[in-house]
Amino acid sequence: MKILHVTPYYEPDFHHGGVVRSISILCRELVKLGHEVTVYTSQDSRSPVKRALGVPCDVGGVRVVYFKNSLGGFGFGWDML
């Protein structure tokens, strides 16, 4: 099954709290079960790791696409639409 998660923040931005950790664990477990998981998220300016925006990358077996956070604290950007 192909699964898309859209979330304001994702790994490695664990400083945003438990939701980031929960979604990360959920996505990794879904991949272990054989699902194809993609995450659309924004890149926080405080992130310890900077990724190329709009370019898919592998984070623990999960396909993650980072977008510019153009709406501030909401963690979403217009590019995600």
Side-chain angles (χ1 to χ4, degrees):
M1 178 186 301
K2 293 183 179 185
I3 301 169
L4 173 65
H5 283 279
V6 180
T7 182
Y9 302 107
Y10 189 71
E11 186 178 337
D13 294 334
F14 294 115
H15 58 274
H16 284 287
V19 173
V20 175
R21 185 168 305 283
S22 297
I23 292 174
S24 175
I25 292 168
L26 173 64
C27 290
R28 287 174 184 244
E29 291 300 317
L30 288 168
V31 168
K32 286 180 186 177
L33 292 173
H35 301 290
E36 184 180 321
V37 180
T38 301
V39 174
Y40 281 6
T41 189
S42 66
Q43 182 162 276
D44 187 355
S45 61
R46 297 178 294 163
S47 180
V49 178
K50 299 297 183 193
R51 310 273 186 178
L53 299 178
V55 179
C57 62
D58 182 276
V59 178
V62 178
R63 183 176 178 256
V64 182
V65 183
Y66 292 89
F67 294 91
K68 181 180 177 186
N69 181 344
S70 57
L71 297 178
F74 292 105
F76 290 102
W78 295 112
D79 295 342
M80 292 174 77
L81 300 176

